[in-house]
Structures are given as C-alpha cells and as structure tokens.
Amino acid sequence: MDKKLATCGVLLDFSKAYDTVNHNILLSKLRHSGMLGISFNWFENYLHDRTQFVKIGSMQSNPETCGIPQGSTLGPLLMLLYINELPSYSKKLSFRVFADGTNMFLKFK
C-alpha cells in the first residue's frame, strides 16, 4: 500500500491433484533431480502397480495407474517435487508453493 500497488491473489487447492499425478513424469523429475540407483529404484517400486478406480454399486471404472497417497509421509514430498517448477512459468506472478496448494499473487498499479 505504501508503494501504491494493488495485489490480486489466487489460491489453488491441490488436494485432489494428488490423485492425478502421472508416475512417469514424477519418476522423470526424481531422476532429473539427481536421484539414481537404489533410491530411485525404491521410488519406482513404491509407485509401480499403484492403481485407483471408482466403484458405485456394481459399476466400476477402469483402473488408472496414477496418483500418490495423500495421507502418506512421502505424499507431500512427492507432490512438492511434482509441482516445484510451477513458479518458473511466470515472471509477473509471485508464488507461495505448498504440498496441498499454491498461492499466486500479482502486484499492479
């Protein structure tokens, strides 16, 4: 306010995004961040064959191989790794990145 600027903020909730994390992209980001060998293999096994589906009565959707467990200890860490490059997509926005959401702000006159 002292600089006579206004701020517009957008708050994103990523709680449902945990269900849509693509395992191949996540593993690629792990590898790119320097995780190799036994550690990488452990994460690959952790994500391997992790499927989810929706069942209502006797109807069931096709199993999808994606997502990370939201209530787990590793879930927030993996989600942060998955979205960590989000702030690099804009030089005009200011970001506050959290595992379950992100806040984006734009300052203007």
Side-chain angles (χ1 to χ4, degrees):
M1 290 179 69
D2 292 338
K3 295 179 182 179
K4 299 190 184 331
L5 295 175
T7 300
C8 178
V10 176
L11 311 178
L12 302 174
D13 178 6
F14 287 155
S15 57
K16 290 296 179 189
Y18 278 72
D19 298 336
T20 64
V21 171
N22 181 295
H23 292 171
N24 292 328
I25 294 172
L26 179 58
L27 289 169
S28 173
K29 289 182 178 217
L30 281 168
R31 191 179 300 112
H32 182 72
S33 70
M35 186 169 292
L36 303 169
I38 294 172
S39 298
F40 179 81
N41 292 342
W42 188 89
F43 278 100
E44 195 172 36
N45 288 333
Y46 178 72
L47 295 171
H48 182 70
D49 284 338
R50 184 174 293 276
T51 60
Q52 58 184 346
F53 60 90
V54 176
K55 184 175 183 179
I56 301 174
S58 61
M59 299 190 63
Q60 178 177 313
S61 67
N62 294 328
E64 295 289 332
T65 307
C66 61
I68 51 178
Q70 188 171 355
S72 69
T73 303
L74 288 174
L77 176 67
L78 293 173
M79 189 64 180
L80 281 171
L81 179 66
Y82 194 71
I83 64 170
N84 72 344
E85 63 193 35
L86 187 62
S88 67
Y89 292 125
S90 175
K91 294 182 186 214
K92 293 183 178 184
L93 297 173
S94 171
F95 290 83
R96 300 295 178 265
V97 179
F98 307 97
D100 59 350
T102 293
N103 301 339
M104 300 183 308
F105 301 100
L106 174 65
K107 294 181 205 171
F108 56 93
K109 291 186 177 191

